[in-house]
Amino acid sequence: MPNRILKESICTSPNLDLLSPAAEAFFYRLIVQCDDHGRLDARSSILRARCYPLRLDTMTNAVIEQLLAELLAANLVSTYVVAGLPYLAMTTWSKHQHIRAQQSKYPAPPPDLPPAPPLPAAASSCLQLQTA
């Protein structure tokens, strides 16, 4: 994956300000995993393995789903399904990143993007993350 440049305006983003510290850290980890079009496979097991490869024993799929739900609620990502597989797209990617690759590694969202299917019960609950 290519390197990403973050602008200083990220520190004053009202959308990022809505997030818990854990969801904000997850957002930054997603940025470096997305392809040049701001898209990524959104299966929780894939997100967990790519964003937290050294924490697989402590980071669960349920926590990933909860963090993703926070990003969705803050309108930082959108999710969609193509051929039965879930994907995510960063909502303001083209405003903040230079798109170098001609084609995305992941399918584009449909033009008439329907609402994402409901998240599993673990992700939609209001459980607070436990920190040590």
Side-chain angles (χ1 to χ4, degrees):
M1 290 289 149
N3 293 326
R4 302 287 177 216
I5 296 173
L6 299 178
K7 297 178 182 176
E8 68 276 358
S9 61
I10 203 165
C11 295
T12 56
S13 166
N15 296 66
L16 278 174
D17 194 45
L18 298 171
L19 301 177
S20 67
E24 184 175 354
F26 180 53
F27 179 71
Y28 299 136
R29 287 174 182 253
L30 283 176
I31 288 172
V32 299
Q33 294 300 324
C34 284
D35 72 0
D36 268 350
H37 292 259
R39 300 178 195 145
L40 188 60
D41 184 323
R43 290 176 287 173
S44 56
S45 58
I46 300 296
L47 295 175
R48 178 176 158 247
R50 293 192 62 183
C51 294
Y52 297 95
L54 300 179
R55 296 182 184 171
L56 293 175
D57 56 337
T58 58
M59 184 62 67
T60 66
N61 288 347
V63 171
I64 294 297
E65 292 164 3
Q66 181 181 357
L67 297 173
L68 184 58
E70 280 192 60
L71 299 182
L72 286 163
N75 198 33
L76 291 165
V77 300
S78 61
T79 57
Y80 57 98
V81 176
V82 174
L85 291 174
Y87 295 92
L88 68 80
M90 297 285 187
T91 56
T92 60
W93 188 265
S94 61
K95 288 196 318 191
H96 301 292
Q97 295 296 321
H98 178 68
I99 298 175
R100 294 175 283 248
Q102 294 295 321
Q103 295 207 345
S104 177
K105 292 181 180 182
Y106 304 98
D112 56 342
L113 182 63
L119 292 168
S124 62
S125 68
C126 293
L127 299 173
Q128 296 296 315
L129 293 176
Q130 299 292 323
T131 57

